[in-house]
């Protein structure tokens, strides 16, 4: 005889790409039961109407978003909503005792003035926001384990911070020299119809966007400042490439010690992430590809040193919808519930 009560969980915003990944992963999670799917734009439909390929496994009804009813039925709630909406719902769920994982930007910032400056939304939930923990387990595992509210990182931020963290934490680079050049597939922009995401527009092309003003910039800067011990500004440029999923972030920075070589950094990164089951450090002269991470919660990191320029080059590859979104949220859930960090998450990618 063992314990057989599964924890009831719900998803608000189940119709988007983040929502459908959450449904797929939670359906296979051995400790939870998916009991609620909510989305104001799809009330009355079944999940199978939205995603017919999942109708045989997850054909729950799409319901209205009523926090009191959600809290009565769920112990844990994932908020997979556009920015500015989670902050209207999360306080009510927390008041009722739910654990909340927000996949939007609403609870990623310790200073809501930064949020307002970048996202344009005034907030009245500062006391609640002050309790939120940034949901990057590789850095804040202990805090997440004690949290009721987790603000899950953005996908670009996840790939970039995993590449930068050992360098900043160990003081290996001149922080102000860090530059992030990142590229992502079209699913990073969500499921909404947008002209630049049409096949005729995106295929056979690559383009930078939101140069100097992408909203993941202040999120990256906040955590980098925390790691470096002083305020930092980071140069970050995202690019859209013609594939569906995946992010490759390439980070450049000037080394403080020009005598460091690639193998030194591989040793340092391997030690830094020795207790991080989802981060894999590549061997010498092995550079990660997004396809390796496709469909998994893994982050692959490759390293190189250019002795001519005295710079380190770090390459970080993730699946933006799994490690960069839904999978990372479930990784945080596992920590919040005291479960194994790898529980219910895909350990190997789809290849080729």
């Amino acid at each position: 005889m063992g314990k057989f009560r599964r924890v009831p969980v719900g998803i608000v915003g189940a119709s988007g790409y983040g929502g459908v990944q959450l449904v797929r992963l939670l359906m296979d999670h051995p400790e939870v039961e998916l009991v609620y799917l909510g989305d104001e734009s799809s009330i009355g439909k079944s999940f199978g109407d939205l995603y017919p390929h999942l109708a045989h496994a997850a054909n729950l009804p799409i319901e209205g978003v009523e926090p009191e009813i959600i809290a009565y039925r769920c112990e844990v709630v994932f908020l997979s909503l556009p920015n500015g909406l989670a902050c209207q719902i999360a306080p009510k769920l927390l008041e009722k005792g739910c654990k909340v994982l927000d996949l939007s930007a609403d609870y990623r910032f310790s200073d809501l003035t930064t949020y307002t400056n970048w996202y344009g939304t005034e907030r009245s939930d500062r006391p609640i926001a002050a309790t939120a923990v940034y949901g990057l387990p590789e850095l804040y595992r202990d805090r997440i384990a004690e949290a009721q509210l987790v603000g899950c990182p953005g996908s670009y931020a996840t790939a970039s911070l995993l590449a930068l963290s050992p360098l900043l934490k160990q003081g290996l680079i001149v922080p102000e020299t860090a530059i992030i050049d990142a590229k992502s597939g079209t699913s990073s922009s969500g499921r909404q119809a947008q002209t630049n995401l049409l096949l005729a527009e995106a295929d056979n092309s690559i383009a930078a966007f939101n140069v100097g003003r992408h909203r993941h910039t202040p999120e990256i800067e906040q955590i980098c400042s925390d790691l470096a011990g002083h305020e930092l500004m980071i140069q970050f440029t995202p690019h859209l490439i013609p594939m569906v999923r995946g992010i490759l972030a390439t980070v450049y920075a000037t080394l403080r010690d020009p005598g460091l070589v690639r193998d030194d950094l591989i040793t340092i990164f391997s030690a830094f992430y020795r207790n991080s089951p989802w981060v894999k450090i590549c061997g010498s002269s092995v550079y990660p590809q997004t396809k390796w991470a496709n469909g998994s919660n893994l982050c692959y990191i490759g390293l190189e040193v250019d002795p001519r320029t005295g710079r380190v080059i770090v390459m970080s590859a993730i699946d933006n919808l799994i490690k960069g979104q839904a999978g990372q949220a479930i990784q945080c859930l596992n920590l919040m519930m005291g479960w194994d960090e790898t529980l219910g998450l895909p350990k190997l990618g789809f290849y080729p």
Side-chain angles (χ1 to χ4, degrees), residues 70-114:
I70 298 168
Y72 178 75
R73 291 165 56 186
C74 302
E75 289 184 29
V76 178
V77 183
F78 294 87
L79 302 178
S80 184
L81 294 164
N83 301 317
L85 295 182
C87 59
Q88 300 174 27
I89 300 169
K92 300 172 185 175
L93 296 172
L94 292 164
E95 184 182 2
K96 297 292 184 180
C98 293
K99 293 182 184 292
V100 176
L101 297 106
D102 175 29
L103 278 68
S104 79
D106 287 12
Y107 291 104
R108 295 173 186 166
F109 296 94
S110 55
D111 180 1
L112 285 186
T113 301
T114 302

mmCIF file of all heavy atoms in Angstrom, residues 70-114:
data_model
loop_
_atom_site.group_PDB
_atom_site.id
_atom_site.type_symbol
_atom_site.label_atom_id
_atom_site.label_comp_id
_atom_site.label_asym_id
_atom_site.label_seq_id
_atom_site.Cartn_x
_atom_site.Cartn_y
_atom_site.Cartn_z
ATOM 1 N N ILE A 70 -11.473 28.060 -9.050
ATOM 2 C CA ILE A 70 -10.176 27.436 -9.351
ATOM 3 C C ILE A 70 -9.484 27.020 -8.059
ATOM 4 O O ILE A 70 -8.978 25.893 -7.923
ATOM 5 C CB ILE A 70 -9.275 28.401 -10.151
ATOM 6 C CG1 ILE A 70 -9.918 28.746 -11.493
ATOM 7 C CG2 ILE A 70 -7.887 27.793 -10.362
ATOM 8 C CD1 ILE A 70 -9.243 29.894 -12.206
ATOM 9 N N ALA A 71 -9.470 27.919 -7.071
ATOM 10 C CA ALA A 71 -8.785 27.639 -5.806
ATOM 11 C C ALA A 71 -9.450 26.503 -5.042
ATOM 12 O O ALA A 71 -8.784 25.742 -4.338
ATOM 13 C CB ALA A 71 -8.754 28.902 -4.943
ATOM 14 N N TYR A 72 -10.753 26.368 -5.182
ATOM 15 C CA TYR A 72 -11.468 25.281 -4.514
ATOM 16 C C TYR A 72 -11.069 23.923 -5.084
ATOM 17 O O TYR A 72 -10.978 22.940 -4.354
ATOM 18 C CB TYR A 72 -12.978 25.496 -4.667
ATOM 19 C CG TYR A 72 -13.816 24.404 -4.048
ATOM 20 C CD1 TYR A 72 -13.983 24.310 -2.666
ATOM 21 C CD2 TYR A 72 -14.433 23.448 -4.856
ATOM 22 C CE1 TYR A 72 -14.733 23.295 -2.104
ATOM 23 C CE2 TYR A 72 -15.193 22.421 -4.302
ATOM 24 C CZ TYR A 72 -15.340 22.350 -2.928
ATOM 25 O OH TYR A 72 -16.086 21.341 -2.369
ATOM 26 N N ARG A 73 -10.770 23.905 -6.379
ATOM 27 C CA ARG A 73 -10.488 22.634 -7.051
ATOM 28 C C ARG A 73 -9.001 22.318 -7.173
ATOM 29 O O ARG A 73 -8.631 21.157 -7.368
ATOM 30 C CB ARG A 73 -11.130 22.646 -8.442
ATOM 31 C CG ARG A 73 -12.650 22.605 -8.373
ATOM 32 C CD ARG A 73 -13.295 22.991 -9.696
ATOM 33 N NE ARG A 73 -12.840 22.179 -10.809
ATOM 34 C CZ ARG A 73 -13.192 22.411 -12.075
ATOM 35 N NH1 ARG A 73 -14.000 23.437 -12.366
ATOM 36 N NH2 ARG A 73 -12.753 21.643 -13.037
ATOM 37 N N CYS A 74 -8.161 23.323 -7.082
ATOM 38 C CA CYS A 74 -6.734 23.133 -7.374
ATOM 39 C C CYS A 74 -5.848 23.521 -6.194
ATOM 40 O O CYS A 74 -6.097 24.528 -5.526
ATOM 41 C CB CYS A 74 -6.322 23.988 -8.576
ATOM 42 S SG CYS A 74 -7.256 23.660 -10.093
ATOM 43 N N GLU A 75 -4.797 22.769 -5.995
ATOM 44 C CA GLU A 75 -3.760 23.141 -5.034
ATOM 45 C C GLU A 75 -2.656 23.949 -5.702
ATOM 46 O O GLU A 75 -1.989 24.756 -5.052
ATOM 47 C CB GLU A 75 -3.153 21.893 -4.391
ATOM 48 C CG GLU A 75 -4.062 21.180 -3.421
ATOM 49 C CD GLU A 75 -3.372 20.014 -2.742
ATOM 50 O OE1 GLU A 75 -2.131 20.058 -2.580
ATOM 51 O OE2 GLU A 75 -4.070 19.060 -2.377
ATOM 52 N N VAL A 76 -2.452 23.694 -6.980
ATOM 53 C CA VAL A 76 -1.407 24.376 -7.746
ATOM 54 C C VAL A 76 -2.030 24.912 -9.029
ATOM 55 O O VAL A 76 -2.812 24.213 -9.690
ATOM 56 C CB VAL A 76 -0.252 23.415 -8.108
ATOM 57 C CG1 VAL A 76 0.792 24.135 -8.954
ATOM 58 C CG2 VAL A 76 0.374 22.823 -6.862
ATOM 59 N N VAL A 77 -1.678 26.161 -9.381
ATOM 60 C CA VAL A 77 -2.223 26.773 -10.594
ATOM 61 C C VAL A 77 -1.078 27.366 -11.414
ATOM 62 O O VAL A 77 -0.241 28.119 -10.897
ATOM 63 C CB VAL A 77 -3.244 27.875 -10.274
ATOM 64 C CG1 VAL A 77 -3.835 28.439 -11.567
ATOM 65 C CG2 VAL A 77 -4.354 27.344 -9.370
ATOM 66 N N PHE A 78 -1.034 26.992 -12.687
ATOM 67 C CA PHE A 78 -0.109 27.594 -13.643
ATOM 68 C C PHE A 78 -0.847 28.710 -14.386
ATOM 69 O O PHE A 78 -1.958 28.486 -14.891
ATOM 70 C CB PHE A 78 0.371 26.558 -14.657
ATOM 71 C CG PHE A 78 1.222 25.469 -14.079
ATOM 72 C CD1 PHE A 78 0.646 24.317 -13.539
ATOM 73 C CD2 PHE A 78 2.607 25.571 -14.077
ATOM 74 C CE1 PHE A 78 1.430 23.300 -13.013
ATOM 75 C CE2 PHE A 78 3.395 24.559 -13.554
ATOM 76 C CZ PHE A 78 2.806 23.427 -13.016
ATOM 77 N N LEU A 79 -0.240 29.882 -14.456
ATOM 78 C CA LEU A 79 -0.812 31.000 -15.192
ATOM 79 C C LEU A 79 -0.009 31.195 -16.469
ATOM 80 O O LEU A 79 1.135 31.643 -16.434
ATOM 81 C CB LEU A 79 -0.785 32.266 -14.336
ATOM 82 C CG LEU A 79 -1.521 32.182 -12.996
ATOM 83 C CD1 LEU A 79 -1.384 33.486 -12.222
ATOM 84 C CD2 LEU A 79 -2.991 31.825 -13.193
ATOM 85 N N SER A 80 -0.601 30.817 -17.592
ATOM 86 C CA SER A 80 0.064 30.931 -18.891
ATOM 87 C C SER A 80 -0.688 31.979 -19.706
ATOM 88 O O SER A 80 -1.408 31.674 -20.651
ATOM 89 C CB SER A 80 0.064 29.569 -19.605
ATOM 90 O OG SER A 80 0.770 29.624 -20.820
ATOM 91 N N LEU A 81 -0.514 33.232 -19.303
ATOM 92 C CA LEU A 81 -1.327 34.348 -19.791
ATOM 93 C C LEU A 81 -0.453 35.445 -20.381
ATOM 94 O O LEU A 81 0.741 35.537 -20.079
ATOM 95 C CB LEU A 81 -2.141 34.934 -18.633
ATOM 96 C CG LEU A 81 -3.217 34.036 -18.024
ATOM 97 C CD1 LEU A 81 -3.650 34.582 -16.667
ATOM 98 C CD2 LEU A 81 -4.403 33.931 -18.970
ATOM 99 N N PRO A 82 -1.049 36.317 -21.197
ATOM 100 C CA PRO A 82 -0.308 37.494 -21.652
ATOM 101 C C PRO A 82 0.114 38.357 -20.462
ATOM 102 O O PRO A 82 -0.533 38.360 -19.403
ATOM 103 C CB PRO A 82 -1.321 38.233 -22.541
ATOM 104 C CG PRO A 82 -2.290 37.178 -22.969
ATOM 105 C CD PRO A 82 -2.390 36.232 -21.818
ATOM 106 N N ASN A 83 1.186 39.101 -20.646
ATOM 107 C CA ASN A 83 1.679 39.976 -19.584
ATOM 108 C C ASN A 83 0.583 40.942 -19.137
ATOM 109 O O ASN A 83 -0.175 41.467 -19.945
ATOM 110 C CB ASN A 83 2.887 40.771 -20.082
ATOM 111 C CG ASN A 83 4.022 39.879 -20.533
ATOM 112 O OD1 ASN A 83 4.338 38.897 -19.876
ATOM 113 N ND2 ASN A 83 4.630 40.195 -21.673
ATOM 114 N N GLY A 84 0.503 41.152 -17.822
ATOM 115 C CA GLY A 84 -0.465 42.089 -17.269
ATOM 116 C C GLY A 84 -1.747 41.467 -16.778
ATOM 117 O O GLY A 84 -2.574 42.158 -16.170
ATOM 118 N N LEU A 85 -1.936 40.166 -17.016
ATOM 119 C CA LEU A 85 -3.165 39.497 -16.572
ATOM 120 C C LEU A 85 -2.941 38.630 -15.335
ATOM 121 O O LEU A 85 -3.812 38.538 -14.464
ATOM 122 C CB LEU A 85 -3.743 38.643 -17.701
ATOM 123 C CG LEU A 85 -4.226 39.389 -18.941
ATOM 124 C CD1 LEU A 85 -4.806 38.409 -19.956
ATOM 125 C CD2 LEU A 85 -5.260 40.451 -18.576
ATOM 126 N N ALA A 86 -1.787 38.006 -15.236
ATOM 127 C CA ALA A 86 -1.521 37.135 -14.085
ATOM 128 C C ALA A 86 -1.600 37.908 -12.779
ATOM 129 O O ALA A 86 -2.086 37.394 -11.757
ATOM 130 C CB ALA A 86 -0.159 36.468 -14.229
ATOM 131 N N CYS A 87 -1.154 39.162 -12.793
ATOM 132 C CA CYS A 87 -1.134 39.958 -11.564
ATOM 133 C C CYS A 87 -2.536 40.298 -11.081
ATOM 134 O O CYS A 87 -2.720 40.707 -9.927
ATOM 135 C CB CYS A 87 -0.308 41.218 -11.749
ATOM 136 S SG CYS A 87 -0.879 42.303 -13.077
ATOM 137 N N GLN A 88 -3.538 40.110 -11.929
ATOM 138 C CA GLN A 88 -4.927 40.331 -11.516
ATOM 139 C C GLN A 88 -5.524 39.087 -10.855
ATOM 140 O O GLN A 88 -6.487 39.183 -10.095
ATOM 141 C CB GLN A 88 -5.773 40.726 -12.729
ATOM 142 C CG GLN A 88 -5.318 41.989 -13.435
ATOM 143 C CD GLN A 88 -6.098 42.244 -14.714
ATOM 144 O OE1 GLN A 88 -7.243 41.837 -14.856
ATOM 145 N NE2 GLN A 88 -5.468 42.931 -15.665
ATOM 146 N N ILE A 89 -4.958 37.928 -11.142
ATOM 147 C CA ILE A 89 -5.515 36.657 -10.674
ATOM 148 C C ILE A 89 -4.710 36.059 -9.529
ATOM 149 O O ILE A 89 -5.268 35.512 -8.572
ATOM 150 C CB ILE A 89 -5.575 35.652 -11.851
ATOM 151 C CG1 ILE A 89 -6.464 36.202 -12.965
ATOM 152 C CG2 ILE A 89 -6.066 34.290 -11.390
ATOM 153 C CD1 ILE A 89 -6.380 35.412 -14.249
ATOM 154 N N ALA A 90 -3.391 36.168 -9.613
ATOM 155 C CA ALA A 90 -2.526 35.496 -8.638
ATOM 156 C C ALA A 90 -2.830 35.867 -7.186
ATOM 157 O O ALA A 90 -2.874 34.979 -6.319
ATOM 158 C CB ALA A 90 -1.064 35.778 -8.968
ATOM 159 N N PRO A 91 -3.040 37.161 -6.854
ATOM 160 C CA PRO A 91 -3.306 37.481 -5.440
ATOM 161 C C PRO A 91 -4.521 36.749 -4.872
ATOM 162 O O PRO A 91 -4.497 36.318 -3.712
ATOM 163 C CB PRO A 91 -3.525 38.998 -5.468
ATOM 164 C CG PRO A 91 -2.739 39.468 -6.650
ATOM 165 C CD PRO A 91 -2.912 38.378 -7.671
ATOM 166 N N LYS A 92 -5.553 36.569 -5.671
ATOM 167 C CA LYS A 92 -6.762 35.883 -5.206
ATOM 168 C C LYS A 92 -6.486 34.401 -4.979
ATOM 169 O O LYS A 92 -6.983 33.808 -4.016
ATOM 170 C CB LYS A 92 -7.882 36.075 -6.225
ATOM 171 C CG LYS A 92 -8.250 37.539 -6.475
ATOM 172 C CD LYS A 92 -9.235 37.681 -7.630
ATOM 173 C CE LYS A 92 -9.489 39.150 -7.948
ATOM 174 N NZ LYS A 92 -10.359 39.328 -9.134
ATOM 175 N N LEU A 93 -5.704 33.795 -5.850
ATOM 176 C CA LEU A 93 -5.373 32.386 -5.693
ATOM 177 C C LEU A 93 -4.478 32.156 -4.479
ATOM 178 O O LEU A 93 -4.664 31.191 -3.727
ATOM 179 C CB LEU A 93 -4.679 31.869 -6.955
ATOM 180 C CG LEU A 93 -5.519 31.875 -8.236
ATOM 181 C CD1 LEU A 93 -4.645 31.532 -9.440
ATOM 182 C CD2 LEU A 93 -6.678 30.889 -8.133
ATOM 183 N N LEU A 94 -3.516 33.042 -4.287
ATOM 184 C CA LEU A 94 -2.613 32.923 -3.146
ATOM 185 C C LEU A 94 -3.370 33.093 -1.832
ATOM 186 O O LEU A 94 -3.094 32.400 -0.851
ATOM 187 C CB LEU A 94 -1.498 33.965 -3.252
ATOM 188 C CG LEU A 94 -0.497 33.745 -4.408
ATOM 189 C CD1 LEU A 94 0.302 35.006 -4.661
ATOM 190 C CD2 LEU A 94 0.439 32.582 -4.090
ATOM 191 N N GLU A 95 -4.310 34.011 -1.826
ATOM 192 C CA GLU A 95 -5.118 34.244 -0.624
ATOM 193 C C GLU A 95 -5.881 32.982 -0.219
ATOM 194 O O GLU A 95 -6.114 32.726 0.967
ATOM 195 C CB GLU A 95 -6.092 35.395 -0.871
ATOM 196 C CG GLU A 95 -6.920 35.786 0.336
ATOM 197 C CD GLU A 95 -7.894 36.897 0.029
ATOM 198 O OE1 GLU A 95 -7.962 37.346 -1.139
ATOM 199 O OE2 GLU A 95 -8.612 37.325 0.964
ATOM 200 N N LYS A 96 -6.250 32.180 -1.211
ATOM 201 C CA LYS A 96 -6.990 30.946 -0.947
ATOM 202 C C LYS A 96 -6.060 29.753 -0.662
ATOM 203 O O LYS A 96 -6.534 28.642 -0.471
ATOM 204 C CB LYS A 96 -7.878 30.609 -2.148
ATOM 205 C CG LYS A 96 -8.954 31.654 -2.439
ATOM 206 C CD LYS A 96 -10.003 31.694 -1.346
ATOM 207 C CE LYS A 96 -11.119 32.678 -1.693
ATOM 208 N NZ LYS A 96 -12.144 32.732 -0.625
ATOM 209 N N GLY A 97 -4.757 29.996 -0.676
ATOM 210 C CA GLY A 97 -3.819 28.941 -0.313
ATOM 211 C C GLY A 97 -3.197 28.181 -1.457
ATOM 212 O O GLY A 97 -2.470 27.201 -1.226
ATOM 213 N N CYS A 98 -3.440 28.585 -2.690
ATOM 214 C CA CYS A 98 -2.844 27.896 -3.842
ATOM 215 C C CYS A 98 -1.360 28.240 -3.986
ATOM 216 O O CYS A 98 -0.921 29.336 -3.627
ATOM 217 C CB CYS A 98 -3.555 28.301 -5.132
ATOM 218 S SG CYS A 98 -5.255 27.768 -5.265
ATOM 219 N N LYS A 99 -0.621 27.313 -4.532
ATOM 220 C CA LYS A 99 0.707 27.612 -5.047
ATOM 221 C C LYS A 99 0.533 28.066 -6.498
ATOM 222 O O LYS A 99 -0.244 27.469 -7.248
ATOM 223 C CB LYS A 99 1.619 26.386 -4.987
ATOM 224 C CG LYS A 99 1.961 25.931 -3.565
ATOM 225 C CD LYS A 99 2.913 24.750 -3.602
ATOM 226 C CE LYS A 99 3.184 24.215 -2.199
ATOM 227 N NZ LYS A 99 3.957 25.151 -1.378
ATOM 228 N N VAL A 100 1.250 29.124 -6.877
ATOM 229 C CA VAL A 100 1.057 29.726 -8.196
ATOM 230 C C VAL A 100 2.383 29.812 -8.936
ATOM 231 O O VAL A 100 3.396 30.261 -8.372
ATOM 232 C CB VAL A 100 0.434 31.135 -8.073
ATOM 233 C CG1 VAL A 100 0.319 31.797 -9.441
ATOM 234 C CG2 VAL A 100 -0.942 31.059 -7.402
ATOM 235 N N LEU A 101 2.368 29.363 -10.183
ATOM 236 C CA LEU A 101 3.530 29.497 -11.074
ATOM 237 C C LEU A 101 3.101 30.324 -12.270
ATOM 238 O O LEU A 101 2.208 29.935 -13.028
ATOM 239 C CB LEU A 101 4.027 28.124 -11.516
ATOM 240 C CG LEU A 101 4.530 27.248 -10.365
ATOM 241 C CD1 LEU A 101 3.523 26.140 -10.067
ATOM 242 C CD2 LEU A 101 5.893 26.659 -10.673
ATOM 243 N N ASP A 102 3.715 31.493 -12.403
ATOM 244 C CA ASP A 102 3.353 32.432 -13.468
ATOM 245 C C ASP A 102 4.370 32.347 -14.593
ATOM 246 O O ASP A 102 5.567 32.548 -14.381
ATOM 247 C CB ASP A 102 3.302 33.850 -12.901
ATOM 248 C CG ASP A 102 3.045 34.891 -13.980
ATOM 249 O OD1 ASP A 102 2.392 34.558 -14.994
ATOM 250 O OD2 ASP A 102 3.511 36.038 -13.809
ATOM 251 N N LEU A 103 3.886 32.044 -15.805
ATOM 252 C CA LEU A 103 4.772 31.946 -16.964
ATOM 253 C C LEU A 103 4.928 33.262 -17.712
ATOM 254 O O LEU A 103 5.683 33.336 -18.680
ATOM 255 C CB LEU A 103 4.267 30.861 -17.924
ATOM 256 C CG LEU A 103 4.648 29.413 -17.574
ATOM 257 C CD1 LEU A 103 3.948 28.933 -16.304
ATOM 258 C CD2 LEU A 103 4.325 28.463 -18.718
ATOM 259 N N SER A 104 4.215 34.305 -17.305
ATOM 260 C CA SER A 104 4.363 35.612 -17.933
ATOM 261 C C SER A 104 5.452 36.400 -17.210
ATOM 262 O O SER A 104 6.144 35.886 -16.334
ATOM 263 C CB SER A 104 3.036 36.371 -17.885
ATOM 264 O OG SER A 104 2.812 36.938 -16.598
ATOM 265 N N ALA A 105 5.570 37.682 -17.544
ATOM 266 C CA ALA A 105 6.601 38.517 -16.921
ATOM 267 C C ALA A 105 6.155 39.149 -15.616
ATOM 268 O O ALA A 105 6.953 39.816 -14.944
ATOM 269 C CB ALA A 105 7.013 39.620 -17.894
ATOM 270 N N ASP A 106 4.906 38.952 -15.206
ATOM 271 C CA ASP A 106 4.338 39.738 -14.110
ATOM 272 C C ASP A 106 5.076 39.601 -12.791
ATOM 273 O O ASP A 106 5.127 40.556 -12.002
ATOM 274 C CB ASP A 106 2.862 39.382 -13.918
ATOM 275 C CG ASP A 106 1.979 39.932 -15.022
ATOM 276 O OD1 ASP A 106 2.527 40.397 -16.052
ATOM 277 O OD2 ASP A 106 0.747 39.903 -14.875
ATOM 278 N N TYR A 107 5.636 38.427 -12.507
ATOM 279 C CA TYR A 107 6.294 38.226 -11.216
ATOM 280 C C TYR A 107 7.772 37.886 -11.340
ATOM 281 O O TYR A 107 8.348 37.240 -10.469
ATOM 282 C CB TYR A 107 5.534 37.163 -10.417
ATOM 283 C CG TYR A 107 4.179 37.669 -9.981
ATOM 284 C CD1 TYR A 107 3.019 37.245 -10.630
ATOM 285 C CD2 TYR A 107 4.063 38.616 -8.969
ATOM 286 C CE1 TYR A 107 1.772 37.740 -10.253
ATOM 287 C CE2 TYR A 107 2.830 39.118 -8.589
ATOM 288 C CZ TYR A 107 1.690 38.673 -9.232
ATOM 289 O OH TYR A 107 0.458 39.187 -8.866
ATOM 290 N N ARG A 108 8.397 38.384 -12.401
ATOM 291 C CA ARG A 108 9.830 38.152 -12.590
ATOM 292 C C ARG A 108 10.695 39.235 -11.961
ATOM 293 O O ARG A 108 11.910 39.058 -11.829
ATOM 294 C CB ARG A 108 10.163 38.073 -14.085
ATOM 295 C CG ARG A 108 9.549 36.893 -14.791
ATOM 296 C CD ARG A 108 9.781 36.974 -16.301
ATOM 297 N NE ARG A 108 9.063 35.916 -16.995
ATOM 298 C CZ ARG A 108 8.869 35.894 -18.319
ATOM 299 N NH1 ARG A 108 9.365 36.874 -19.075
ATOM 300 N NH2 ARG A 108 8.202 34.903 -18.874
ATOM 301 N N PHE A 109 10.088 40.368 -11.585
ATOM 302 C CA PHE A 109 10.883 41.532 -11.188
ATOM 303 C C PHE A 109 10.748 41.842 -9.713
ATOM 304 O O PHE A 109 9.642 41.925 -9.174
ATOM 305 C CB PHE A 109 10.473 42.753 -12.012
ATOM 306 C CG PHE A 109 10.759 42.606 -13.472
ATOM 307 C CD1 PHE A 109 9.791 42.131 -14.339
ATOM 308 C CD2 PHE A 109 12.008 42.907 -13.978
ATOM 309 C CE1 PHE A 109 10.061 41.971 -15.691
ATOM 310 C CE2 PHE A 109 12.296 42.751 -15.321
ATOM 311 C CZ PHE A 109 11.319 42.275 -16.179
ATOM 312 N N SER A 110 11.886 42.039 -9.045
ATOM 313 C CA SER A 110 11.861 42.434 -7.646
ATOM 314 C C SER A 110 11.461 43.903 -7.502
ATOM 315 O O SER A 110 10.922 44.304 -6.473
ATOM 316 C CB SER A 110 13.238 42.202 -7.011
ATOM 317 O OG SER A 110 14.253 42.869 -7.739
ATOM 318 N N ASP A 111 11.695 44.688 -8.527
ATOM 319 C CA ASP A 111 11.328 46.104 -8.525
ATOM 320 C C ASP A 111 10.246 46.320 -9.578
ATOM 321 O O ASP A 111 10.508 46.248 -10.780
ATOM 322 C CB ASP A 111 12.562 46.960 -8.839
ATOM 323 C CG ASP A 111 12.265 48.457 -8.847
ATOM 324 O OD1 ASP A 111 11.101 48.834 -8.580
ATOM 325 O OD2 ASP A 111 13.186 49.235 -9.130
ATOM 326 N N LEU A 112 9.018 46.595 -9.131
ATOM 327 C CA LEU A 112 7.919 46.742 -10.083
ATOM 328 C C LEU A 112 8.021 48.019 -10.900
ATOM 329 O O LEU A 112 7.336 48.145 -11.924
ATOM 330 C CB LEU A 112 6.577 46.694 -9.344
ATOM 331 C CG LEU A 112 6.143 45.304 -8.871
ATOM 332 C CD1 LEU A 112 4.736 45.357 -8.298
ATOM 333 C CD2 LEU A 112 6.209 44.284 -9.995
ATOM 334 N N THR A 113 8.852 48.951 -10.476
ATOM 335 C CA THR A 113 9.078 50.131 -11.313
ATOM 336 C C THR A 113 9.718 49.711 -12.634
ATOM 337 O O THR A 113 9.378 50.234 -13.701
ATOM 338 C CB THR A 113 9.978 51.141 -10.583
ATOM 339 O OG1 THR A 113 9.346 51.531 -9.359
ATOM 340 C CG2 THR A 113 10.223 52.375 -11.445
ATOM 341 N N THR A 114 10.649 48.768 -12.564
ATOM 342 C CA THR A 114 11.266 48.238 -13.788
ATOM 343 C C THR A 114 10.210 47.601 -14.671
ATOM 344 O O THR A 114 10.179 47.802 -15.896
ATOM 345 C CB THR A 114 12.347 47.206 -13.441
ATOM 346 O OG1 THR A 114 13.327 47.813 -12.606
ATOM 347 C CG2 THR A 114 13.013 46.661 -14.696
#
